[in-house]
Amino acid sequence: MDGWSIDVDASGVRVAGPRISFEVDAGEADSTSLRWGVFGRRLCRAGQKPERIRGMPRAVAQHVRASIARVAVDSELRAWVGRFDDLQAACEGGLAAGRWVPWDVRDAFLADRRSDFPTRLRKSNALATLSTHETEALDFSADDMAALVNATNEKVLRRELSAQRDFFASIESQPLTDEQARAVVTFDNRVQVLAAAGSGKTSVMVARAAYAVARGFVRPERILLLAFNKKAADELQERIEARFAAAGLDATGVRASTFHSFGLSVIGAATGRKPSLAPWVADGRELQKLSEIVDRLRDSNVAFRYKWDLYRIVYAAVSLDPAGGPADAYNRETRQSGFETLDGKIVRSEGERMIADWLFLNGVDYRYEHPYAVDVADATHRQYTPDFYYPDIDAWHEHWALGRNGKPPAEFQGYEDGMRWKRTLHEQHGTDLIETTFAEIVLGEGGFIGLEEALTSRGINLDWNPDRPMRREPVSHDQLVKLVRTFLSHVKSSRSTDGDLRDLLKTSRSELSGARTMTFLDLFWPIFDAWNEELRKGGFVDFDDMLGSAADSVADGFDPGYDLVLVDEFQDSSQARSQLVQELVAPPGRFLMAVGDDWQAINRFAGADLSVMTDFHQRFGPGPQLALTTTFRCTQTICDVATQFVSKNRRQFDKSMRALNQADRGSPVEVTHTDVPADAVAARLRRWSEEAGTDGASVYVLGRYNFERRDALPSEIPENLRVDFLTVHSAKGSEADYVVIPGMKSGTYGFPSTIADDPVLDLVMGEPDTFEHAEERRLLYVALTRARRGVHLVASPSRPSPFVTELLDEGSSGDGRLVVEVDGHGTHVPSTQRVRPCPQCNGGALVARTGGHGRFFGCSSFPACTYTTNDPIGGATTAAPPRRSAEATTPACPRCGRGTLRRRKGKFGPFMGCTEYPTCRYTRNV
């Protein structure tokens, strides 16, 4: 090179020419440059005077400059290429060994791909020095990586399914399906398996453990299977030992355990002192212990007693929506639906009921909707009747349905005009008006303080007495204790403090951040502290503390030593369980498979947080999501009915469910309407007994509640049938030939239950599932899918479950009806006599009633829905106007709650309009 030599290696650049030589060390290469202009070449080093380079040709100068730039980036480039080579080697090695390329390999490759190195390199003079291999590595993108790994894994999958065919055919008592085998071979770091009911998830867990040992991926003593109860853990351990032995594998060290047992062992091993579980926790007496704590606090603390009763009797029944919930009572005098108060009155809104109940408990004499002192009726207004009148102080009271924004619900059209009109009346006639709002009492911080001051300042003495005789049953002590227990479990699981929750309320400004919630928190934390003091005094822990302490031990460095963790029933995970699993698999090279079914998430009350499953990959890291859609249990008819029913909630994972033998659809799901469930159960048992013959059959009678046992089980049971009564919750994980569900009625203790979760739980849980009856819908799915051969539902004829109405209305397919209504003899009820859904509310069903004008059909959701008709088949389209009973002649306006709906005739024909027009402009078709 015209007498010039350039030597380049990792230590630097050495240049020698005819008249000059110099070196640039690797450490200074990044801050050194060779420049040229009209005055020749100059070597510029940081902090030094430029050095003139004489006689260096341009081509040599370009080579030197590129070499300096190359040395400056050499270490980064080597690492970049090394990652590329590692990925290539991992894919080649995985393909050769028949082993899935896990996410760890991708993550290592992506670690430096997140930097701006390629951009800097392409802008530098070093680009010209790259070899073909280095250029290939530089241009290899994350998309290229995904394509390479995915293609490799697809080849591994196909080869392993073929090479391990005999293993997959024999590792369980029945050959694995293609879906199951794929789940076993997909040996990634984070695998989520969505398992339909009866799809063999236990087989997948056992086979995956055996596959890991047989292929030499994981040693037996480094495999852990976690279950949610002792029965499931024992079954897993027995299956592991039996199937490993059958396959000639050593199962020594493979551990199946409950979360709780494993957590205790972790704490013992990490600290040298295994903790003791509180006896009242171990024995399932948590509610009893909490009741004892509450009783002590009520006896010793007057403020606590007051808030406990205030929340239990007044606040617990109130929703957080100013518009309120559905009506639960009917006023025969006014012929309007409404809400029953503690003293037996029927008011128009939940907010008014809350005020009335508080007044009653304080012994305040009031009149509800007493006619105003002045006759103000005119052509557009009926006589004004304020919400409350207090005769002792001659004062009127309006309670406005205003939210935090000072506005009424959007559907309350004309409401603000009505407010202005009423305020003007009081100003014109000099009458005393007390005003409260829903936002003030429920959503704000003041609660009832403002109303209390308004009344006492006018001379009313308040006499709080929660023991007054009540016409309506409030939330019981036991129910509130259950709420506290659930809240406590979630608080401990999420490690929340009082300050955390109150700060959350301050920043969120949600509907929760108000007096109702603050009252509950004022009750909860003293109970929480007393519970923890009981634990401290005995040196005990509870389940949630134990799981949290175990997770802390692992996070602090204790390693239980498991490389493969398999978790069963993952939809039932709590935050504490999730945290423990996260810590177990945090080190590189760990593998997690979580198996569950969000369609079977029914344990929110017990601390389960469905978001742990639905946000699986956000919590644990990227990886595949697989599905087991083939059930070994149910007929295709049961699959179709159950899937169609539960999958309407689009917030759940979208998946399918199909029977192993799809050709054998099985018999339709049956429905019988009767007020005597035991008779219907007995009749169906007789028919199943005849079908079963000498082979016999198993039957589950599944109740939504334990108390249904006494009304559901007949006195005589056929000898060839094994019949057990279980609650649906306790039946999860079990199966029988046939299933009877006897409690299909509407109401508080119906199915679905209308006992809604208290909104305060949303403070300590993931985002709530707002789909109507979401968990109850999943509960019925669980009940339906316990059956191998047939399902029979027993529904109330006067209060049919909306679930039954929906199933009957939609239970058909191209092959015919999947859900049929039968009488007590098993004969199909003609379509003309089938229960019909209410066309107005779409939640109730039309049931036969008798009123002052004879027989008619009304909605089973009455008084929430007051629809009636003489023609349940034609519904609202019947030619003749329906004859209405006294109970349904003048339904209340659903928008303003003040007026009633009257039949009117307009430009386009008859319609129903509110009597409060023009203040309220609500209308609907006849």
Side-chain angles (χ1 to χ4, degrees):
M1 198 176 274
D2 295 331
W4 290 86
S5 65
I6 305 170
D7 181 27
V8 184
D9 58 28
S11 65
V13 181
R14 289 165 293 282
V15 181
R19 287 182 284 177
I20 191 170
S21 63
F22 60 89
E23 295 183 7
V24 178
D25 292 337
E28 63 176 342
D30 191 46
S31 58
T32 301
S33 62
L34 181 64
R35 303 174 184 176
W36 58 81
V38 293
F39 299 107
R41 323 297 180 203
R42 287 181 174 81
L43 183 67
C44 301
R45 304 176 193 262
Q48 298 183 27
K49 184 178 179 180
E51 181 180 352
R52 189 172 181 181
I53 309 298
R54 298 180 182 275
M56 179 179 284
R58 184 180 184 89
V60 174
Q62 290 175 332
H63 192 177
V64 171
R65 185 161 63 175
S67 298
I68 294 173
R70 169 60 186 254
V71 170
V73 300
D74 191 69
S75 61
E76 282 187 278
L77 182 59
R78 286 175 184 272
W80 192 273
V81 175
R83 295 286 195 190
F84 172 74
D85 292 341
D86 290 344
L87 175 68
Q88 301 290 326
C91 290
E92 292 170 3
L95 194 57
R99 178 167 185 173
W100 187 273
V101 180
W103 180 264
D104 275 357
V105 173
R106 303 189 192 206
D107 201 38
F109 174 82
L110 289 173
D112 52 12
R113 260 58 182 179
R114 300 183 183 99
S115 75
D116 64 346
F117 175 70
T119 302
R120 289 188 285 108
L121 182 59
R122 289 187 175 95
K123 291 181 179 179
S124 77
N125 293 304
L127 189 63
T129 70
L130 267 60
S131 68
T132 301
H133 183 64
E134 289 169 337
T135 301
E136 184 182 0
L138 181 69
D139 294 337
F140 198 79
S141 68
D143 290 340
D144 295 328
M145 173 216 66
L148 174 63
V149 174
N150 292 342
T152 301
N153 283 336
E154 187 60 32
K155 292 177 182 177
V156 169
L157 180 62
R158 290 199 301 268
R159 291 184 184 181
E160 283 294 280
L161 290 177
S162 175
Q164 304 296 325
R165 184 182 296 109
D166 291 343
F167 174 86
F168 295 134
S170 61
I171 188 58
E172 277 287 276
S173 57
Q174 296 291 327
L176 299 188
T177 65
D178 184 63
E179 288 178 333
Q180 291 174 318
R182 284 173 175 269
V184 171
V185 173
T186 306
F187 214 84
D188 217 320
N189 298 105
R190 307 290 184 264
V191 179
Q192 183 181 38
V193 178
L194 306 178
S199 60
K201 60 184 177 61
T202 303
S203 293
V204 169
M205 296 177 70
V206 171
R208 187 176 181 84
Y211 178 75
V213 173
R215 299 286 282 108
F217 299 159
V218 184
R219 299 198 307 272
E221 69 274 12
R222 299 188 70 84
I223 298 176
L224 173 68
L225 298 92
L226 291 171
F228 282 77
N229 58 58
K230 190 174 185 303
K231 178 183 177 183
D234 289 346
E235 179 189 350
L236 278 171
Q237 192 71 56
E238 291 170 5
R239 289 269 288 274
I240 286 284
E241 294 171 2
R243 301 318 305 171
F244 270 54
L249 298 172
D250 182 10
T252 305
V254 179
R255 179 179 182 181
S257 172
T258 64
F259 270 93
H260 298 142
S261 177
F262 176 69
L264 288 173
S265 68
V266 167
I267 298 171
T271 65
R273 184 180 180 84
K274 187 175 181 178
S276 298
L277 195 62
W280 64 86
V281 174
D283 297 341
R285 294 183 288 109
E286 297 102 320
L287 293 177
Q288 179 181 332
K289 172 61 71 172
L290 282 173
S291 292
E292 294 170 1
I293 291 173
V294 169
D295 287 342
R296 287 202 306 269
L297 289 170
R298 281 168 50 85
D299 290 342
S300 61
N301 188 318
V302 174
F304 181 92
R305 172 185 284 269
Y306 169 73
K307 289 185 177 181
W308 178 267
D309 289 328
L310 175 66
Y311 194 89
R312 179 179 68 85
I313 303 175
V314 179
Y315 275 141
V318 179
S319 70
L320 295 178
D321 184 355
D328 57 19
Y330 186 80
N331 189 325
R332 295 180 182 276
E333 293 181 2
T334 63
R335 296 179 177 177
Q336 291 180 336
S337 298
F339 301 83
E340 186 178 11
T341 65
L342 294 173
D343 55 346
K345 296 182 177 65
I346 296 178
V347 297
R348 295 176 185 267
S349 69
E350 277 192 302
E352 291 176 351
R353 173 164 66 184
M354 174 185 62
I355 297 292
D357 289 346
W358 185 85
L359 294 171
F360 167 74
L361 293 170
N362 277 290
V364 177
D365 183 18
Y366 73 93
R367 305 287 186 271
Y368 178 69
E369 291 196 337
H370 188 70
Y372 186 52
V374 181
D375 186 356
V376 294
D378 56 28
T380 59
H381 296 94
R382 64 180 181 176
Q383 175 57 20
Y384 174 38
T385 56
D387 293 337
F388 303 97
Y389 173 64
Y390 304 110
D392 292 344
I393 56 174
D394 191 24
W396 308 86
H397 176 187
E398 285 286 1
H399 179 68
W400 310 117
L402 302 182
R404 192 185 302 281
N405 60 0
K407 299 289 186 180
E411 61 268 30
F412 284 18
Q413 295 184 15
Y415 191 87
E416 291 176 290
D417 292 338
M419 290 174 59
R420 285 188 287 270
W421 179 72
K422 293 167 185 177
R423 285 169 173 162
T424 299
L425 288 180
H426 287 284
E427 291 175 3
Q428 290 177 344
H429 299 288
T431 46
D432 189 8
L433 175 63
I434 297 171
E435 298 182 64
T436 57
T437 69
F438 188 87
E440 169 194 348
I441 293 181
V442 176
L443 308 179
E445 297 181 0
F448 287 95
I449 293 176
L451 179 57
E452 180 177 345
E453 292 176 350
L455 294 176
T456 56
S457 65
R458 288 168 169 80
I460 288 183
N461 294 319
L462 301 181
D463 179 22
W464 177 263
N465 181 4
D467 297 322
R468 300 178 191 275
M470 302 177 192
R471 298 279 296 275
R472 189 189 88 247
E473 190 70 27
V475 169
S476 67
H477 288 281
D478 289 344
Q479 288 173 316
L480 187 49
V481 167
K482 287 181 180 178
L483 171 61
V484 170
R485 177 67 188 100
T486 301
F487 196 85
L488 185 148
S489 179
H490 285 289
V491 163
K492 288 203 164 194
S493 184
S494 61
R495 308 289 187 91
S496 300
T497 66
D498 186 17
D500 291 337
L501 298 187
R502 293 184 188 270
D503 288 345
L504 177 64
L505 290 172
K506 289 177 183 177
T507 57
S508 70
R509 299 300 295 165
S510 71
E511 299 301 320
L512 280 171
S513 55
R516 183 186 189 276
T517 302
M518 293 302 181
T519 300
F520 179 83
L521 293 179
D522 288 344
L523 294 170
F524 173 76
W525 291 111
I527 300 172
F528 180 86
D529 292 340
W531 173 273
N532 286 337
E533 179 62 18
E534 292 281 329
L535 295 175
R536 188 195 63 78
K537 287 191 302 185
F540 303 131
V541 295
D542 59 21
F543 285 137
D544 298 297
D545 285 339
M546 178 264 293
L547 290 171
S549 297
D552 289 343
S553 296
V554 179
D556 290 341
F558 175 75
D559 186 359
Y562 294 103
D563 294 326
L564 174 59
V565 178
L566 304 118
V567 185
D568 192 16
E569 301 287 3
F570 203 71
Q571 75 278 353
D572 291 332
S573 294
S574 63
Q575 293 284 348
R577 289 185 175 98
S578 170
Q579 186 61 40
L580 177 55
V581 174
Q582 283 178 272
E583 298 298 344
L584 287 174
V585 299
R590 299 286 170 91
F591 298 87
L592 167 66
M593 173 182 273
V595 186
D597 182 7
D598 59 319
W599 288 0
Q600 298 185 67
I602 60 174
N603 287 316
R604 190 175 193 243
F605 72 95
D609 188 341
L610 185 55
S611 68
V612 172
M613 183 170 185
T614 55
D615 299 338
F616 175 80
H617 290 299
Q618 288 88 334
R619 291 173 181 267
F620 296 96
Q625 182 188 78
L626 308 175
L628 303 179
T629 62
T630 301
T631 177
F632 296 84
R633 178 187 302 156
C634 307
T635 65
Q636 190 59 45
T637 290
I638 295 174
C639 289
D640 290 345
V641 171
T643 299
Q644 181 183 31
F645 178 77
V646 76
S647 62
K648 289 182 178 178
N649 185 348
R650 304 312 301 171
R651 297 188 63 185
Q652 299 167 161
F653 288 122
D654 185 18
K655 50 188 180 291
S656 60
M657 180 183 180
R658 54 193 178 86
L660 184 64
N661 182 5
Q662 298 181 54
D664 181 14
R665 297 199 60 86
S667 57
V669 172
E670 294 181 345
V671 177
T672 297
H673 286 86
T674 178
D675 286 321
V676 188
D679 288 351
V681 174
R684 197 56 185 98
L685 291 181
R686 286 193 296 270
R687 296 200 301 278
W688 279 335
S689 173
E690 294 171 1
E691 295 172 11
T694 57
D695 292 336
S698 58
V699 180
Y700 280 163
V701 180
L702 298 181
R704 175 63 181 84
Y705 305 96
N706 252 319
F707 66 75
E708 293 177 59
R709 177 191 300 268
R710 63 176 181 268
D711 296 324
L713 287 180
S715 57
E716 296 183 8
I717 295 175
E719 294 183 359
N720 64 337
L721 297 183
R722 301 179 301 281
V723 181
D724 291 312
F725 177 90
L726 299 170
T727 65
V728 182
H729 281 98
S730 63
K732 191 157 80 73
S734 303
E735 60 184 56
D737 291 318
Y738 300 103
V739 162
V740 184
I741 310 172
M744 302 306 298
K745 59 185 178 182
S746 60
T748 303
Y749 290 99
F751 199 169
S753 168
T754 55
I755 303 174
D757 285 341
D758 195 293
V760 297
L761 291 176
D762 294 339
L763 264 180
V764 289
M765 297 185 65
E767 185 180 354
D769 191 338
T770 56
F771 193 82
E772 187 175 19
H773 301 310
E775 188 149 332
E776 292 289 304
R777 187 173 286 268
R778 293 192 288 265
L779 195 61
L780 182 56
Y781 169 81
V782 169
L784 292 170
T785 54
R786 297 312 92 193
R788 288 189 285 262
R789 296 160 60 181
V791 177
H792 193 94
L793 309 177
V794 182
S796 165
S798 57
R799 293 190 296 129
S801 164
F803 285 172
V804 167
T805 306
E806 177 183 326
L807 287 170
L808 284 169
D809 186 47
E810 301 178 358
S812 62
S813 72
D815 299 324
R817 290 207 61 80
L818 304 180
V819 183
V820 298
E821 187 175 355
V822 299
D823 60 21
H825 304 289
T827 303
H828 286 201
V829 175
S831 60
T832 55
Q833 299 177 23
R834 250 192 345 254
V835 172
R836 300 282 175 173
C838 174
Q840 180 165 297
C841 70
N842 293 318
L846 299 181
V847 295
R849 292 179 179 157
T850 302
H853 300 283
R855 191 170 183 267
F856 68 101
F857 291 86
C859 181
S860 61
S861 295
F862 176 84
C865 176
T866 56
Y867 178 84
T868 63
T869 181
N870 284 345
D871 180 7
I873 298 177
T877 62
T878 180
R883 292 159 56 188
R884 301 180 179 270
S885 72
E887 292 181 316
T889 302
T890 53
C893 174
R895 177 173 293 163
C896 71
R898 299 287 181 186
T900 57
L901 299 185
R902 298 290 189 189
R903 187 182 179 92
R904 293 176 179 169
K905 189 172 182 180
K907 181 178 179 180
F908 299 100
F911 66 98
M912 301 295 286
C914 180
T915 55
E916 286 291 302
Y917 177 86
T919 302
C920 176
R921 297 176 179 270
Y922 177 83
T923 62
R924 68 169 171 82
N925 293 335
V926 174

